[in-house]
Structures are given as structure tokens and as C-alpha cells.
Amino acid sequence: MIAQESIKDEYSTKVLDHLGLVAGMCSELGISKIVDNHIPAQSADKILSTGNAVVGLILNGLGFVNKRLYLVSRFFDNKPVDKLLNVSYLKSSHFNDDALGRSLDAIYAFGVSELFALVSSHVVNHLSSNYGLKVTSGQLDNTAFHLHGQAKELLEKEESVLKITQGYSKDHRPDLVQVGLQLIVENQSGIPLLMKVLDGNQEESQSYGQFIDDYTQKLQNTYGLNTIVADSKLYNKENLPKLGGQSGLYWLTRVPNSLKVVKDLIDDINKTGFQTLNNYTGYEYQEMCSIYGEVNQRWLVLKSTDKFIRDLKHLDKKVERSRLSANKASKKLFKQQFETKEEAIEAANLFSKSLIVNELVSMEIIEHYKFSRPGKPKKGAKPDKKHYTITGVIKCSEIKYEVEKEKLGYVILATNQLNTEQMSAEDLLKMYKDQSKVERSFRFLKDPNIVGSSLFVQKPERMMAILMIMTLCLLVYSALEYVTRTLLKKQNLTYKNQIGKQVQNPTMKWIFECFEGIHILHMPDKQRVVLNLKERHRQIINLLGNCYSKYYT
């Protein structure tokens, strides 16, 4: 029995899995050093620096677990903390909620958006210098994270207030309070460039305009970005003058179909003037100039077969809903009694005008008589009263249906890049369709297996700092994926994906899953042996280089 206990004390294992890749990227990017340079330790006896706390939280966020802040130390219980952080004296117990809470408070005091911008600008410079990243365009979008708790207000710098409150819920939880997050994501790599925490009920169109005022110069001067892509919330008469006032900045967005100018354009457009769009099957286009909002711009009017099919399904559902609603309203109309025939005709006409794609057919005005004396009236007797009722049938109007059908399938993109040689119609469509990167980023942040359930903190200040940490997780993940794919293409190598196909663009999530099961065995003589390391692991480790291989040796 004593011998068995001795063996247990001498041998132990730690879980490494894919965390060596995450730690390697954090080390390559110098995240800990950047944070510590700007948020130095306040006391000489501080064990866990803010930079190491940030890296630890990134490892936790990308560890495929779902740990509350006070359970992060438990996450590190079976991890080689000293090896991952490259600090010999660090232990899992150092990542307690008090130490991490103080680090989050320090991040908030410095400024979450400001600290993230410092890290992201360094990352972009590093990737540009070493891996050929070229920043030209970014995708701007907002999302919201719901929270369990009470509505709160946080007084920030310069007397601005952050409101954690109810608002339009993209998570379909209108019963909960929420906080917003705004990102601009680099188009090529998917790396977030800037982030900002927003009120829970912040209007997207207003936040886009504020973003342009606050960050345009920084995007141009620091990142070299020259084009912003956003959804239709950007396009309104308040934001367009702001966009027009930024020299050297190009923007691309969709024009809302709800605008009267768009409705008139679709009604009057020459249907035979569309051209085929190269490299895009099912698309036709026309280009025209516009001065909407007193800003010179170029409109790309697209006619999409796929969108037409989707719109037609929506129209058919709309027709059916309208028919059911009209039938319900017609029953009330048919029960009404009118004193004159003219009143009944006028009511029928008003009802017909209210129908969008349906019509009232076989309409008749029925005359009814009422006699004061009971029984069958005598021949030639005049009625004491008479009234009129309406009868008819509700059906879809083929003419109205065809008119509505002609308006389907159109998308209008607007840009202030007027030179078609520098940005062709194909370039505009490709750039707009690439908005999936920012949407993918939000899905990543909300994935409960990655970082999506990290908002357990109660203090609004720490919640803002946690949102910055979550965005850093996205940055590290995206950078690691970009570097891996770039090196695979550069060295003409492939990696087997989920279905066994050799590809040059594997997702990092799949690679993380492939690294599951790698452990470190601690020997009695203080040696370490990496267990379960296979060829598929060595392929990625050797591809990434020494900065990563040191964690697996």
C-alpha cells in the first residue's frame, strides 16, 4: 500500500491538448508583454501579472470548457501552467477569482477598447511582416449578449454611461438584459481590429455613425484600412454626410429596400438593361449614379435568382396571411348594415383598397326589408325600414400578385468608390458577400463550447473587461487559423479535414479537436514526456515552428 502511494506521488500527468498551440500564438504575438508594458504591476510582490492573467483567460476561453471566473483555477488544476505561461513559479492556485478580478479591474481602468487596439495593431503589423497579411477592407457589425441579472448603469470616462438593459434581442431572449458589442473585422483573415462595448438598447445605425466619427482616422493611419463594409443600418441620411466627410475612406453597404427612392427605382428600372455578372451564376446587374443624402455614390443594382426564389416564398406566405386576415375582416364587413346602397358601395371600395395582394370578387349589395307588423306582409305593402349588406369572396388578385412579383429579387449596393476600374461590380459583390466573416466571429463568441458563456461576472466593469478578453480569444483563434492556412499554401501542404479530404484551409476548431488526448507525464527525475503525440499533430507543430514545438517537447 505504501509503495502504491509512493508511485502516485512520483508520477503525474497534465493535460496539454491544443493549448500548446494557443500558448504558442500568444507568445509569438507577445500579448502578455504588451499588456504588462501598459499595465505594470502596482506592487513588487504581485505573483500573477495582468499580462499573464490575460493569457490565462485566453487559454481558458479557448479550452473548450465553460468555466465561471471563480472556477478558472480549477481549469488549470490539470494543466502544465508553468510550461504554458513560460513562468516557472506559476501554479493553478494563482489564477483565483481575486487575482483575476484585480486584473480585470486594471484592464477596465486602462480602457478596454484602447488596450484591445494596442494588441490588435501589433498583431496586424506582425502578421503583415511575417505572413503577408494585407489589410484593405473591414466588416463592421454589432451583436448583443444577454445577461442574467438586473438592469445596471455604469458611469464611464468623460461622464458617459453604459446601460445594461433590455433591448432588441438577437438571441431571442427579450426577457433578459443585455450588453452590445461592436466589431470591425479584417476581411482577409477575420481578425478583429477594433472593439467597443455598447448599451444593451443601442441603435445600430446610430452606433455606426459614432464609430465612423471615432475610429476612421485610426483605421486608416494605424491599420492601412481603406474600405468599410456594413449592412443596411449604415445607410441613412444621418450617416451619409459623415461617410462623405472622410477623405480616402471608401464604404460599401446595402441600400434598404424600404426607402421610397429604391421602391421607385425598382418600379421604373429598365428590365432589359441588365448584364451578366462574371464569376457569379444567377446574378445580373446594372450600375447607376446617385446623390442620395447629398453624397455622390455609385449604385450596383443586382438581380439575384436565389433571392428571387426566397422573396417569392415570402410573398406567398404574405399572400396567405393577408387572405386569412382579409377573410376575418370581411366577416365583420358582411355583418354590417348600411342605410343606403351608396354607403355599402363606399365601404366595399374602402375594404378593397386595403387589400394588398387580394381582392373582393363576386361582390353584391343585398337589399333587406323590415316590416313593423308580424307575419307575411300584404301584397304592395311598403316596408317600414330597409338596409343593405355586402357579400363577396376574397381571392388573390393575379394582377396585384404579378406586380408584386416583378419587384422581387433585387439588391442594391452603394459605394462612394466611383472608379469602376479600381473596384468592379464583381469586386463589390464579393466584398459584400464576405460579410460572413464578421457573422462567423459573432457565432464564435457565442459558442458555449468556446467563449460564449463567460459573462458570469456581476460587476459591469469586469463584464466589459471580459468582453475584451473574449474578443482577444477571437483574435488569437483567427490569427492561428490564418497563419496555419498561409503556411500550408506557402509550403504546398495539405491537412486532412473532418471528412478525410486533404485541404489547405482546415478550420482551427477541427485542428483543436485533433489535438485532444495529448498529455504530459511528469517523471520522478523531474523529466517530462509528451504522451499520445501522433503524426497528424507533428505535421501542424512542425509547420508552425519552434515557437510552438517547445510546448510539445
Side-chain angles (χ1 to χ4, degrees):
M1 189 69 175
I2 296 174
Q4 288 180 355
E5 290 179 357
S6 176
I7 292 172
K8 288 180 181 178
D9 291 338
E10 292 174 352
Y11 290 87
S12 64
T13 60
K14 297 288 185 180
V15 177
L16 182 58
D17 291 345
H18 63 281
L19 294 178
L21 302 179
V22 178
M25 179 52 72
C26 290
S27 175
E28 181 180 352
L29 299 177
I31 291 176
S32 178
K33 292 180 181 178
I34 296 170
V35 174
D36 285 337
N37 286 340
H38 291 90
I39 309 177
Q42 298 297 318
S43 60
D45 59 346
K46 185 176 182 180
I47 297 175
L48 184 67
S49 72
T50 305
N52 285 331
V54 167
V55 173
L57 288 170
I58 292 172
L59 288 166
N60 177 68
L62 294 176
F64 290 127
V65 293
N66 189 4
K67 296 290 186 186
R68 298 172 186 259
L69 189 63
Y70 62 85
L71 294 177
V72 172
S73 61
R74 187 177 297 178
F75 166 78
F76 283 112
D77 274 346
N78 64 341
K79 308 296 188 303
V81 178
D82 56 340
K83 190 176 185 69
L84 290 172
L85 276 297
N86 199 28
V87 180
S88 59
Y89 56 81
L90 277 182
K91 300 177 181 178
S92 61
S93 59
H94 295 143
F95 289 88
N96 55 73
D97 56 331
D98 290 329
L100 294 175
R102 287 192 294 270
S103 295
L104 294 176
D105 291 339
I107 291 170
Y108 170 79
F110 182 86
V112 292
S113 298
E114 292 80 2
L115 183 60
F116 183 84
L118 288 169
V119 175
S120 68
S121 60
H122 174 80
V123 170
V124 168
N125 289 333
H126 177 80
L127 297 181
S128 300
S129 302
N130 295 278
Y131 300 100
L133 177 65
K134 295 180 179 179
V135 177
T136 56
S137 64
Q139 300 155 14
L140 177 65
D141 205 352
N142 294 1
T143 193
F145 295 87
H146 64 265
L147 303 153
H148 295 270
Q150 301 293 324
K152 300 176 182 178
E153 290 190 359
L154 173 64
L155 185 65
E156 295 188 87
K157 298 174 183 177
E158 299 177 0
E159 299 184 352
S160 63
V161 175
L162 174 71
K163 297 178 181 178
I164 302 173
T165 184
Q166 290 178 322
Y168 174 73
S169 176
K170 295 184 177 181
D171 296 334
H172 308 291
R173 290 301 306 267
D175 55 313
L176 299 177
V177 296
Q178 61 184 18
V179 64
L181 177 65
Q182 186 173 62
L183 291 183
I184 182 161
V185 175
E186 195 277 323
N187 186 54
Q188 184 181 356
S189 63
I191 290 173
L193 302 178
L194 295 172
M195 59 83 66
K196 185 179 181 181
V197 182
L198 303 173
D199 294 344
N201 58 355
Q202 177 76 58
E203 284 283 343
E204 281 193 56
S205 58
Q206 182 183 357
S207 70
Y208 286 167
Q210 190 63 46
F211 177 90
I212 292 163
D213 283 341
D214 294 343
Y215 295 113
T216 296
Q217 294 300 319
K218 187 175 188 65
L219 287 170
Q220 290 177 297
N221 299 334
T222 304
Y223 300 93
L225 185 141
N226 56 31
T227 305
I228 291 178
V229 184
D231 59 30
S232 59
K233 299 290 177 60
L234 176 67
Y235 196 92
N236 57 50
K237 287 187 175 180
E238 289 72 35
N239 289 337
L240 283 174
K242 297 179 181 180
L243 291 166
Q246 304 293 339
S247 60
L249 175 72
Y250 297 114
W251 48 265
L252 172 64
T253 185
R254 182 174 67 82
V255 184
N257 286 358
S258 58
L259 294 180
K260 184 179 183 300
V261 64
V262 173
K263 293 178 180 178
D264 293 342
L265 174 63
I266 293 174
D267 287 340
D268 301 334
I269 197 167
N270 179 11
K271 303 295 192 295
T272 62
F274 282 88
Q275 307 174 51
T276 304
L277 197 61
N278 296 333
N279 303 320
Y280 286 97
T281 305
Y283 280 94
E284 295 180 323
Y285 77 99
Q286 290 188 43
E287 288 192 287
M288 54 191 63
C289 296
S290 172
I291 54 170
Y292 184 82
E294 298 183 358
V295 175
N296 289 327
Q297 54 197 280
R298 170 178 153 216
W299 280 15
L300 179 67
V301 184
L302 295 162
K303 191 173 183 180
S304 166
T305 302
D306 290 340
K307 188 172 189 303
F308 176 81
I309 294 171
R310 293 195 303 270
D311 289 350
L312 188 59
K313 289 180 181 178
H314 288 306
L315 177 61
D316 290 339
K317 290 179 181 178
K318 179 181 176 182
V319 169
E320 181 60 19
R321 287 196 302 268
S322 177
R323 186 187 66 80
L324 294 174
S325 177
N327 277 334
K328 188 175 180 180
S330 68
K331 289 179 182 179
K332 294 182 180 179
L333 177 68
F334 296 163
K335 288 179 181 179
Q336 282 186 281
Q337 297 179 359
F338 300 93
E339 292 184 2
T340 65
K341 188 175 183 179
E342 289 72 20
E343 286 182 4
I345 293 173
E346 183 179 357
N349 289 336
L350 286 173
F351 178 76
S352 296
K353 289 179 181 178
S354 69
L355 302 177
I356 302 173
V357 287
N358 294 292
E359 61 181 345
L360 179 64
V361 297
S362 303
M363 192 270 288
E364 290 185 45
I365 306 297
I366 309 298
E367 192 174 28
H368 301 269
Y369 301 102
K370 187 174 182 180
F371 295 88
S372 58
R373 294 182 62 181
K376 184 178 180 180
K378 295 181 180 179
K379 187 176 181 179
K382 294 183 179 181
D384 296 289
K385 291 182 180 180
K386 71 178 173 180
H387 65 268
Y388 299 87
T389 60
I390 304 169
T391 63
V393 178
I394 304 295
K395 63 172 289 188
C396 177
S397 169
E398 294 184 6
I399 295 175
K400 290 182 179 179
Y401 183 81
E402 288 300 322
V403 169
E404 292 297 317
K405 192 174 174 181
E406 285 293 317
K407 301 175 183 178
L408 305 181
Y410 290 97
V411 178
I412 300 178
L413 303 182
T415 179
N416 62 334
Q417 172 55 277
L418 306 180
N419 191 329
T420 57
E421 293 183 358
Q422 292 186 9
M423 198 175 291
S424 66
E426 289 83 0
D427 294 334
L428 292 177
L429 181 57
K430 181 181 184 303
M431 196 178 296
Y432 188 77
K433 288 171 77 72
D434 278 346
Q435 278 189 106
S436 58
K437 281 191 173 64
V438 70
E439 292 164 0
R440 177 192 169 200
S441 299
F442 289 142
R443 287 196 300 271
F444 175 91
L445 291 172
K446 294 184 178 185
D447 188 341
N449 292 320
I450 307 178
V451 296
S453 296
S454 299
L455 294 178
F456 294 111
V457 290
Q458 295 298 316
K459 291 178 66 176
E461 297 92 333
R462 294 183 180 181
M463 181 273 301
M464 291 180 66
I466 281 287
L467 278 172
M468 193 277 283
I469 298 292
M470 291 167 63
T471 313
L472 278 179
C473 290
L474 171 62
L475 181 146
V476 171
Y477 178 93
S478 300
L480 195 50
E481 186 174 80
Y482 173 76
V483 169
T484 302
R485 291 178 173 183
T486 299
L487 292 175
L488 283 172
K489 292 175 183 177
K490 184 178 180 180
Q491 299 180 26
N492 197 25
L493 298 173
T494 59
Y495 192 77
K496 191 178 291 185
N497 67 4
Q498 296 93 318
I499 60 175
K501 183 180 178 182
Q502 295 290 343
V503 297
Q504 291 185 320
N505 61 340
T507 66
M508 214 61 225
K509 187 176 181 180
W510 167 245
I511 293 176
F512 285 177
E513 291 177 3
C514 289
F515 271 65
E516 187 176 350
I518 300 177
H519 290 208
I520 294 179
L521 174 64
H522 290 254
M523 306 286 281
D525 56 359
K526 296 186 178 181
Q527 288 187 0
R528 299 178 178 183
V529 178
V530 179
L531 304 176
N532 304 323
L533 200 61
K534 296 180 172 55
E535 182 58 33
R536 67 174 183 269
H537 307 134
R538 294 189 182 92
Q539 183 183 354
I540 295 296
I541 294 167
N542 293 335
L543 178 75
L544 294 172
N546 294 332
C547 194
Y548 300 81
S549 61
K550 65 182 181 183
Y551 295 97
Y552 294 93
T553 54

